[in-house]
């Protein structure tokens, strides 16, 4: 992650700079470079960055794209539209794989909101990267394009959603205990009349078999309820 820098060329709207910083921080990136921003620093950038103002404060400003990428081993230009003449084209996922293989400092370079990247800026990079979109409309908002790239980088780095709280699962014995308890309650309440031909037992087995992983605590709750109902009925 430390090897990846995000370069915004001539951004017009400071709000987009802030939103890009936020998109980066949420995905563990923090090296933001601004090439000749129209207006920066600016309050709109801070509003949009929210808790990522630290990324903004550390952002370096360069007067040329060359200056922002000269110490990188590769630069990837992001473009909303294919060009007749361009460096090698990669989709965003393939670009992230390539960047990781290089295992050195690399830059992802974004264009101005209205004009995109100039030809000169694009050819200063070795790759042209496209985020797949509808063929009807391919132009994402600048900060949203940064978000998609940053997300791909994060996922490629092996990000996993932290597992929720894990509970002890019910064993076969626990579940059989529940069935026995259900049967006892069904007989005791005369809800189930033996010999009536009802398929009650099979039905609740089918029902519970559709629950992928019953937790022991869940089985205990149901059994506790049945126990309480039976005790009440028996006047205990
Ligand atoms: N009208 C401009 C679009 C600018 S959007 C044009 O046609 O080029 C601002 C920047 O966001 C673009 O320069 C590019 O770096 C990035 N971007 C937007 N949509 C993208 C997409 N589908 N794929 C890759 N980059 C995209």
């Amino acid at each position: 992650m430390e090897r990846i820098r995000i370069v915004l060329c001539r951004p017009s709207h400071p709000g987009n700079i802030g939103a890009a910083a936020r998109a980066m921080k949420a995905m563990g990136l923090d090296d933001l470079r601004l090439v000749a921003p129209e207006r920066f620093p600016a309050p709109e950038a801070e509003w949009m960055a929210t808790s990522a103002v630290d990324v903004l404060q550390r952002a370096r400003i360069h007067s040329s794209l060359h200056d922002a990428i000269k110490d990188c081993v590769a630069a990837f230009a992001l473009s909303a539209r294919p060009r007749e003449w361009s460096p090698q084209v990669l989709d965003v996922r393939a670009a992230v794989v390539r960047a990781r293989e290089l295992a050195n400092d690399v830059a992802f370079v974004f264009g101005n909101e209205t004009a995109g990247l100039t030809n000169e800026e694009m050819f200063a990079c070795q790759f042209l990267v496209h985020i797949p979109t509808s063929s009807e409309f391919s132009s994402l908002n600048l900060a949203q394009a940064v978000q998609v790239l940053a997300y791909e980088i994060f996922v490629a780095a092996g990000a996993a959603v932290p597992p929720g709280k894990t509970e002890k699962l019910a064993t076969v014995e626990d579940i059989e205990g529940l069935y026995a308890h259900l049967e006892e309650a069904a007989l005791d309440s005369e809800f189930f009349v033996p010999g009536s031909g009802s398929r009650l037992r099979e039905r609740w087995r089918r029902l519970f078999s559709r629950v992928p992983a019953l937790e022991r605590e869940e089985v205990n709750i149901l059994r506790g309820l049945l126990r309480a109902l039976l005790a009440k009925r028996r006047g205990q």
Side-chain angles (χ1 to χ4, degrees):
M1 295 294 206
E2 315 81 67
R3 295 187 173 283
I4 292 178
R5 75 178 63 158
I6 300 294
V7 181
L8 307 184
C9 288
R10 300 167 292 105
S12 323
H13 302 294
N16 276 334
I17 303 175
R22 179 180 185 169
M24 288 170 61
K25 184 161 180 175
M27 299 295 140
L29 299 175
D30 64 0
D31 188 352
L32 175 62
R33 311 295 179 104
L34 307 172
V35 177
E38 201 167 298
R39 202 154 49 79
F40 188 80
E44 299 96 302
E46 301 203 359
W47 300 335
M48 293 302 280
T50 62
S51 299
V53 277
D54 56 321
V55 174
L56 276 188
Q57 280 157 359
R58 270 181 278 124
R60 300 210 357 221
I61 301 183
H62 298 273
S63 52
S64 69
L65 174 58
H66 172 75
D67 200 34
I69 63 176
K70 64 184 179 201
D71 53 338
C72 290
V73 300
F76 296 78
L78 275 97
S79 173
R81 52 197 158 91
R83 318 263 180 134
E84 202 181 348
W85 285 96
S86 76
Q88 184 187 347
V89 178
L90 295 173
D91 76 27
V92 65
R93 211 161 272 180
V96 169
V97 170
R98 181 65 65 91
R100 286 173 59 78
E101 282 165 2
L102 290 167
N104 264 289
D105 290 358
V106 296
F108 286 91
V109 179
F110 293 79
N112 166 272
E113 291 90 332
T114 12
L117 290 168
T118 62
N119 264 337
E120 197 180 331
E121 286 166 338
M122 178 181 68
F123 274 108
C125 301
Q126 293 72 46
F127 301 96
L128 186 73
V129 181
H130 189 62
I131 297 169
T133 56
S134 153
S135 55
E136 306 278 306
F137 184 58
S138 66
S139 175
L140 302 181
N141 160 272
L142 171 58
Q144 289 170 352
V146 172
Q147 181 73 79
V148 172
L149 170 74
Y151 172 76
E152 288 292 339
I153 292 170
F154 191 65
V155 171
V161 176
K165 188 170 154 36
T166 49
E167 292 282 338
K168 231 188 170 67
L169 296 185
T171 61
V172 168
E173 195 178 3
D174 296 329
I175 301 171
E176 286 299 334
L178 170 63
Y179 294 148
H181 226 139
L182 280 169
E183 184 153 343
E184 188 185 345
L187 287 168
D188 194 78
S189 61
E190 291 166 22
F191 178 73
F192 175 58
V193 182
S196 64
S198 113
R199 294 238 173 257
L200 199 59
R201 287 193 192 106
E202 290 82 351
R203 285 201 182 270
W204 63 52
R205 278 175 188 266
R206 270 165 67 96
L207 165 66
F208 285 106
S209 71
R210 287 201 299 274
V211 181
L214 272 177
E215 290 166 8
R216 175 168 282 173
E217 194 51 35
E218 293 163 345
V219 170
N220 286 343
I221 290 169
L222 291 176
R223 295 192 66 184
L225 170 66
L226 292 169
R227 197 172 302 118
L229 289 171
L230 281 166
K232 183 147 193 194
R233 206 179 123 71
R234 290 169 186 159
Q236 290 163 358

